[in-house]
Amino acid sequence: MSLDAIPAVGHAPAVALRGARLAFGDRVLWDRLDLSVSPGEFIAVLGPNGSGKTSLLRVLLGQLALSDGAALVGGEPVAGGSERIGYVPQHRPVDAEVMLRGRDLVRLGVDGHRWGAAPLRPAERARRRAAVREALRQVDGERLADVRLGVMSGGELQRMRIAQALASDPTLLLCDEPLLTLDPAGARRVSALLDRRRRDAATAIIVVTHEINPVLPYVDRVLYLVDGRARVGSVEQVLTSQTLSGLYRADIEVVRGRDGLVVVGETGPGERRRR
């Protein structure tokens, strides 16, 4: 039950899932998932905890194998360690005593896999330094280059993580709860940075989030996962009482309150979900 985007002429989809199934024994996270993500498209992945949102990212990163179906990135089978894919993990605080600077974290996105390798030629060192500078520029992070991670705010640290993911100039950027713990201003700024990247470089963006409001101005489509089922479409198509009632097989009501969309209904004992 998907409404796939049509890839740009002459370009393979940034991501293609066909008949994708992911299961662990008798537990099926999702099944018969068809999704085509075009270069430059912004996708938000929503759903309750345990519905397989982070697992979807792990499949695209080559860390989990599908139980059935196919997954392609840029027209090729997924493979671990691909420089075509940037990854922003869930936010974790950094100890105040950590001496690593902003530029050090970003540099790991360029040469973090080279521990113990032979010295680089001068031209290659210069290229990698330029890549770090460019990644910092893209997140408005130049002034944070020499700031220790341990004294950065949550929003500043998340911008450094995004810069790290962009340092290899990826064609696909996967973000797992990038807005977690950020204040509203920080969440809006990070969302705008992601949108600017996809517009400037045609990088496809897939964001797993429970905070839909900050990304709503930029999202092209929503993938909603629940109880082994999936729905793909625009925000207006997916986040409706009718669609979610069908997904949950229960009476669900979607209302728009002052703080954003609120999903109310039989999603669990006494649960009330805000998106």
Side-chain angles (χ1 to χ4, degrees), residues 1 5 33 101 127 134 152 189 198-199 234 267 271:
M1 191 162 51
L33 175 56
R101 302 167 302 166
R127 186 193 70 80
E134 173 60 15
M152 289 184 186
R189 184 170 192 178
R198 63 89 171 246
R199 293 184 183 279
S234 68
T267 59
E271 288 191 31

Side-chain angles (χ1 to χ4, degrees), residues 51-195:
S51 57
K53 302 185 298 296
T54 294
S55 294
L56 173 62
L57 301 188
R58 293 185 63 196
V59 166
L60 297 177
L61 288 167
Q63 297 174 352
L64 275 179
L66 289 173
S67 305
D68 196 9
L72 303 176
V73 172
E76 300 178 4
V78 296
S82 172
E83 290 189 352
R84 295 178 301 165
I85 303 176
Y87 175 58
V88 181
Q90 290 190 16
H91 175 74
R92 293 289 186 273
V94 174
D95 191 279
E97 302 304 316
V98 170
M99 301 302 293
L100 206 67
R101 302 167 302 166
R103 72 169 73 250
D104 300 326
L105 180 65
V106 177
R107 188 177 295 119
L108 293 176
V110 180
D111 56 16
H113 61 288
R114 297 192 70 260
W115 301 118
L120 293 171
R121 296 177 182 273
E124 180 62 15
R125 285 201 301 271
R127 186 193 70 80
R128 290 171 185 250
R129 286 195 298 269
V132 170
R133 289 195 300 270
E134 173 60 15
L136 286 167
R137 185 198 64 78
Q138 289 184 58
V139 301
D140 301 324
E142 294 97 327
R143 70 174 184 82
L144 298 172
D146 293 310
V147 176
R148 290 191 293 111
L149 302 182
V151 300
M152 289 184 186
S153 69
E156 289 171 340
L157 183 57
Q158 202 65 332
R159 284 158 58 197
M160 292 301 96
R161 290 193 173 107
I162 293 172
Q164 179 189 18
L166 295 179
S168 64
D169 194 25
T171 58
L172 171 64
L173 183 61
L174 307 176
C175 305
D176 194 359
E177 296 286 4
L179 311 181
L180 196 65
T181 76
L182 300 185
D183 61 28
R188 288 193 297 271
R189 184 170 192 178
V190 166
S191 300
L193 288 173
L194 295 175
D195 179 65

Side-chain angles (χ1 to χ4, degrees), residues 20-22 28-33 51-52 55-56 59 66 225 228:
R21 173 186 174 91
L22 186 65
V28 178
L29 291 183
W30 26 266
D31 193 12
R32 291 175 291 183
L33 175 56
S51 57
S55 294
L56 173 62
V59 166
L66 289 173
L225 302 172

